[in-house]
């Protein structure tokens, strides 16, 4: 007898029936940027098709996300004014908190309203935490601000807060603060394995980053995976409801290891550089844009991610039918 695996590939219907991995819109999260003072959406040159939104346009984008059946929208704020402490992050009148409230008022519980819980967009030095007198990121002083920021975001209407600064102990401090403020139901999506990656480049344009230096003292070394597993264990022990691997495509081994190791849901972020590379190659006619984008999303799901942050989320929902 000759084995003929090709029998199961002979038609679209057959391939669909035996497909081992599927992507559903409910597994996709759309990252969105909202800019203080913007009067109309502003294109982001390095991320074709992605914009800095106004409050009104981010509300409409979130409505479209809900109608498309997406799992969530992750909001990032772009303030007009920054300072060393990142004061706009905790200010109820700051752009991110205002946008969170407006989006929650519009979509209610039809889509998860998620908040980036980090200071890098709000600090004049561009780091994810406050600096000490030697210009080093002060881990414990930063934790106090993260706690305040997470409570402000929950109060504004966030279903999910996403601490992404890679500060030691951030999940435990945020969980304690949320519970003390009466937000026991707010979910923590912990960026447990976030690498100091070159793939973040276009994102820096998107949030008008003021970064001086780099983040290698607190984001992870791309050479390491056991370190990620340690970080995941620590975050889960501190109360993380979900964990994130970022970036996704060049770190699928980390996604797979995370999914095997932990019982909490694993998310992965198809970051700005990954998106930009697909867009640039497709614009040259070198690859098929839709097929490549969907193949990338399938690969992230196949590795074990239950949720994917992707700038293709709305389009992919349409492609997936």
């Amino acid at each position: 007898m000759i084995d003929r695996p090709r029998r199961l590939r002979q038609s679209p219907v057959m391939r669909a029936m035996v497909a081992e991995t599927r992507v559903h819109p409910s597994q996709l999260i759309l990252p969105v940027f909202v800019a203080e003072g913007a009067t109309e959406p502003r294109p982001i040159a390095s991320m074709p098709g992605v914009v800095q939104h106004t409050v009104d346009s981010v509300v409409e984008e979130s409505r479209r996300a809900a109608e498309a059946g997406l799992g969530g929208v992750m909001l990032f704020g772009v303030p007009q004014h920054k300072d060393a402490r990142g004061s706009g992050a905790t200010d109820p009148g700051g752009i991110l908190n205002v946008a969170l409230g407006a989006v929650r008022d519009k979509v209610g519980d039809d889509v998860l309203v998620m908040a980036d819980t980090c200071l890098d967009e709000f600090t004049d030095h561009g780091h994810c935490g406050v600096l000490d007198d030697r210009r080093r990121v002060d881990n414990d002083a930063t934790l106090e601000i993260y706690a305040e920021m997470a409570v402000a975001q929950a109060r504004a209407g966030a279903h999910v807060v996403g601490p992404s600064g890679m500060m030691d102990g951030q999940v435990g401090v945020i969980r304690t603060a949320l519970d003390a403020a009466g937000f026991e139901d707010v979910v923590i999506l912990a960026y447990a394995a976030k690498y100091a990656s070159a793939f973040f480049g276009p994102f820096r344009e998107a949030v008008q980053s003021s970064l001086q230096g780099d983040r290698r003292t607190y984001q992870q070394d791309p050479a390491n995976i056991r370190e990620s597993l340690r970080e995941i264990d620590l975050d889960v022990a501190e109360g993380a409801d979900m964990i994130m691997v970022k970036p996704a495509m060049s770190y699928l081994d980390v996604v797979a290891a995370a999914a095997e190791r932990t019982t909490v849901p694993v998310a992965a972020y198809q970051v700005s550089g990954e998106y930009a590379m697909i867009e640039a190659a497709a614009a040259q006619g070198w690859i098929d844009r839709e097929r490549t984008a969907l193949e990338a999303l399938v690969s992230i799901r196949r590795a074990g991610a239950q949720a994917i942050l992707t700038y293709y989320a709305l389009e992919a929902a349409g492609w997936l039918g």
Side-chain angles (χ1 to χ4, degrees):
M1 183 183 71
I2 299 174
D3 286 338
R4 295 194 183 275
R6 285 180 56 191
R7 292 192 189 104
L8 299 180
R9 306 174 196 144
Q10 62 184 290
S11 69
V13 174
M14 181 66 74
R15 291 191 297 272
M17 185 182 73
V18 301
E20 299 171 27
T21 303
R22 300 181 189 278
V23 179
H24 189 274
S26 65
Q27 298 163 329
L28 303 178
I29 299 164
L30 179 67
V32 289
F33 306 100
V34 57
E36 188 174 25
T39 57
E40 60 183 7
R42 303 167 179 163
I44 299 167
S46 58
M47 300 175 68
V50 181
V51 302
Q52 291 180 339
H53 283 281
T54 67
V55 172
D56 287 342
S57 70
V58 83
V59 168
E60 284 306 299
E61 190 82 334
S62 300
R63 179 189 61 78
R64 286 189 286 271
E67 291 179 350
L70 298 188
V73 288
M74 174 69 80
L75 274 66
F76 297 84
V78 184
Q80 284 183 305
H81 305 289
K82 305 179 183 184
D83 59 31
R85 186 184 183 277
S87 301
T90 55
D91 181 357
I95 182 60
L96 181 53
N97 293 323
V98 168
L100 287 168
V103 168
R104 181 66 186 270
D105 284 347
K106 182 69 174 182
V107 303
D109 296 328
D110 293 338
V111 67
L112 292 175
V113 179
M114 310 172 83
D116 179 56
T117 310
C118 193
L119 295 178
D120 59 320
E121 296 104 281
F122 297 92
T123 54
D124 54 13
H125 46 74
H127 279 287
C128 298
V130 293
L131 305 183
D132 63 19
D133 55 7
R134 295 173 60 185
R135 305 292 292 174
R136 302 173 305 180
V137 174
D138 187 327
N139 191 95
D140 294 357
T142 299
L143 293 184
E144 296 179 14
I145 302 174
Y146 281 4
E148 186 181 351
M149 184 179 186
V151 170
Q153 292 173 339
R155 192 166 283 129
H159 295 99
V160 180
V161 296
S164 59
M166 292 296 293
M167 296 297 118
D168 294 338
Q170 62 185 14
V171 173
V173 166
I174 288 172
R175 183 75 273 160
T176 298
L178 289 171
D179 291 355
F183 295 109
E184 298 91 347
D185 292 336
V186 170
V187 167
I188 297 178
L189 169 57
Y191 287 60
K194 182 177 179 181
Y195 286 84
S197 173
F199 288 99
F200 298 157
F203 181 91
R204 305 240 167 96
E205 178 193 354
V207 298
Q208 297 171 202
S209 174
S210 307
L211 181 63
Q212 302 166 19
D214 60 52
R215 301 185 175 123
R216 295 181 186 181
T217 62
Y218 48 99
Q219 293 179 355
Q220 290 177 239
D221 185 340
N224 295 347
I225 186 169
R226 286 198 301 268
E227 182 183 18
S228 289
L229 302 181
R230 181 185 181 198
E231 292 277 10
I232 288 166
D233 289 347
L234 289 168
D235 282 358
V236 172
E238 290 175 24
D241 300 289
M242 304 172 64
I243 61 101
M244 175 86 81
V245 176
K246 180 181 181 181
M249 289 175 60
S250 293
Y251 296 83
L252 294 180
D253 58 330
V254 183
V255 175
E260 183 175 352
R261 187 176 191 87
T262 183
T263 57
V264 304
V266 175
Y269 197 147
Q270 185 188 47
V271 299
S272 59
E274 295 168 320
Y275 173 86
M277 289 192 302
I278 294 173
E279 290 298 300
Q284 294 294 322
W286 296 335
I287 59 175
D288 181 294
R289 180 176 180 269
E290 179 180 331
R291 282 189 62 196
T292 304
L294 285 175
E295 184 176 333
L297 296 178
V298 167
S299 76
I300 298 167
R301 281 279 296 123
R302 190 181 64 242
Q306 292 169 259
I308 305 172
L309 277 79
T310 174
Y311 300 98
Y312 289 112
L314 265 177
E315 283 187 284
W319 297 334
L320 293 166

